[in-house]
Amino acid sequence: MTASMPERSGRHNLDPHLDRYAARTAGMTASEIRALFAVASRPEVVSLAGGMPNLAALPLDSLSAQMAELIAEDGLVALQYGSAQGIPVLREQICEIMALEGISAHADDVVVTVGSQMGLDMVTRIFCDPGDVVIAEGPSYVGALGSFAAYQAQVVHVAMDDDGLVPEALRDALAQAEKAGRRVKFLYTIPNFHNPAGVTLAVERRAEILAICREHGVLVVEDNPYGLLGFDGQTYPALRSLDPENVVYLGSFSKTFASGLRVGWVLAPHAVREKLVLAAESATLCPPTLNQLVVSRYLATHDWKGQIKTFRENYRERRDAILSALEQHMPAGCSWTRPDGGFYVWVTVPEGVDTKAMLPRAVTARVAYASGTGFYADGFGSRQMRVSYCYPTPERIREGVRRLAGVLESEMDLVRTFGNVSMKPISGPENPSPDTA
């Protein structure tokens, strides 16, 4: 006789393990657009959705020779286990990179991670209990929202404007949380060339925001993958440089070198560093030594600053293409941000248009974007979309925006004819994929 699994609410469920899952898995929801990417990745579809770096400018010939030399000369080290904290030489090189943004750091306080997403996950794991509050800009990075949901943290969004996070909105959110007896663990912020909003936190606001967090006893988690990709070459002072003891800094080589190597890092106050190393050991045992050595050799033997300059020029050309195309083609009533760096433009469409509902029709018209609802934990963002200019050529960008504008015009005609048929917001973040990160 075979024992049957218990069923919830007396109904048959296709997943026999449903009653075994931890409660926190309830917050792990699939991306609303992941299923569309099998179609969106077809060559005839212009994808303005993904945040994939354009790696065509990398010196692949010299990199392939370097990797062959690495295996031949140091293969026994490169292919072996390593330290959970990362190899010392790379951690020292990371400190030199962060110095460009005014950060004075010691290699002992750097933890190398498998991409900065792992760092964000570890920080959330060691700080957040179920029900704790995380303050984040609205909108915010979809991967961060997924991590917060996985650990059952509650996200409170704080408004931004063209100068980034609004200090008074942050102050009000913290005061309201305290009044309600809710425990705020940290502020999560992307100060430079924000994903998805494209805006940059004004320099004059940075010290004020840090002071507000200090006043309320709230840690700051600074996520800065785009900081060296300012189109005018300007680098802004990192929040970490202004308040080393209350800021955990997340960095990555995914946007300035190669995303496929999955090498990032966390710079944390010394006591926090110890907890992060323990978390890293339990998650991966150690980051891949081979990947770290590839990055380290690249930094030591290539003109990596010149390579970043090349990336900036390529992305600036694409940014200019998308802004001019939006200006030329988008219907009246639309607005968008004008980024000074990074990968993204945040578009707001007229009242009554639901970008989530419109997305399948856009893919049918051979253009894709990321709908705004995925960048909020509370289901808002139905009038917004993120369009990315980092990967397609300028010609493809212009054609993609032309197609997108045509879809939007048709959607607006439907709204004018039948009224507002927007979908009701559904709470919960999406899990990211490489196409939406």
Side-chain angles (χ1 to χ4, degrees), residues 236-267:
Y236 294 91
L239 299 178
R240 167 75 189 205
S241 72
L242 304 175
D243 193 353
E245 292 305 313
N246 199 48
V247 177
V248 174
Y249 178 99
L250 305 176
S252 175
F253 289 104
S254 291
K255 309 302 188 294
T256 57
F257 179 28
S259 54
L261 290 174
R262 308 305 303 131
V263 179
W265 71 90
V266 183
L267 172 65

Side-chain angles (χ1 to χ4, degrees), residues 73-142:
E73 297 171 3
D74 294 311
L76 295 180
V77 174
L79 302 178
Q80 187 56 275
Y81 287 122
S83 163
Q85 191 172 353
I87 61 174
V89 62
L90 179 59
R91 289 189 277 117
E92 291 170 0
Q93 291 167 314
I94 286 170
C95 289
E96 295 173 7
I97 293 171
M98 291 188 294
L100 298 176
E101 297 173 311
I103 296 175
S104 177
H106 195 283
D108 286 348
D109 292 327
V110 174
V111 180
V112 178
T113 57
V114 183
S116 62
Q117 181 69 32
M118 175 184 168
L120 178 58
D121 188 86
M122 292 194 309
V123 169
T124 309
R125 174 148 55 108
I126 68 173
F127 279 106
C128 289
D129 291 315
D132 284 344
V133 172
V134 172
I135 303 289
E137 292 120 341
S140 189
Y141 166 50
V142 61

